Amino acid sequence: MPVQIPDDTDFLSFRDQCESQDGWVARYNKGVVTVWCRDEECKTVQKLKMRIVCKDVTAETLYDVLHDTSYRKKWDTNMIDTFDIGRLTVNADVGYYSWKCPSPLKNRDFVTMRSWLPLGNDYLIINYSVKHPEYPPKKDCVRAVSLLTGYLIQSNGANCCTLYYLTQVDPRGSLPKWVVNRASQLVAPKAMKKIYKACLKYPEWKRKHEPNLKPWRYPEQNMLPCINVADLTVQRADSLENIDESSVSEEKAQHHSDDEET
């Protein structure tokens, strides 16, 4: 399947999904964080939606934090590696991301096409998995598939904003039920709080690390090599390895320190 770079209609559709309550069931609602689930036809491909209200953080700062891969390496402790592969347009690129899973589950990675758009007082970033000829699946990771993942940032005034995170990922494996439950009850809320804490520290960090470099805002700063969209195809899940990890017990899994409250 050819890769289609999202247009305004796609961004508006994504925003509607974030704001809609129809068909969503709240699984976690505590403090400033809410997590909803929406089971699709395939139970292993669960759709999750999260929302957090970020006080003392501007929408612009949150937008910068989600884009800044150099800073992500400072706060995303679940991440193994991330890097930009190349640019498609002034507001679309291709990148790589890998993250740790609780041992003995295998780690996962993605190659995704990401696109972003400021829309009025909102900022949107969305991605889905693509195949890049120079970045095939690795032996030490399971190549997962993002069917649709993204962020909606809404300004709530001069120094407050709301972040929605919506994700539908095929992990390419039969995961234990406790992993799926844990994702909505524990991992997702802590991930949202971690982004919020990262935002509070970002202005000071950025002042010391190339404060004027923001290629996601200023396309003329983007030095990534150009990629022809015709060289990419949509990553189909059924073309990848599918492993069975459903028998892994929660007691045997080694959880990361990141799952503890910080």
Side-chain angles (χ1 to χ4, degrees), residues 74-94:
K74 299 290 183 182
W75 63 266
D76 188 351
T77 52
N78 276 335
M79 183 185 72
I80 300 171
D81 192 17
T82 188
F83 53 85
D84 299 323
I85 295 172
R87 55 179 166 153
L88 294 165
T89 67
V90 293
N91 70 323
D93 62 17
V94 177

Side-chain angles (χ1 to χ4, degrees), residues 205-238:
W205 180 90
K206 189 60 177 172
R207 278 194 292 269
K208 301 174 183 177
H209 299 84
E210 300 180 293
N212 297 317
L213 182 63
K214 296 181 179 181
W216 52 92
R217 288 179 180 267
Y218 312 111
E220 66 275 9
Q221 296 179 345
N222 195 328
M223 296 294 106
L224 290 173
C226 291
I227 297 176
N228 188 336
V229 70
D231 294 334
L232 305 172
T233 54
V234 174
Q235 178 65 74
R236 293 175 57 87
D238 56 14

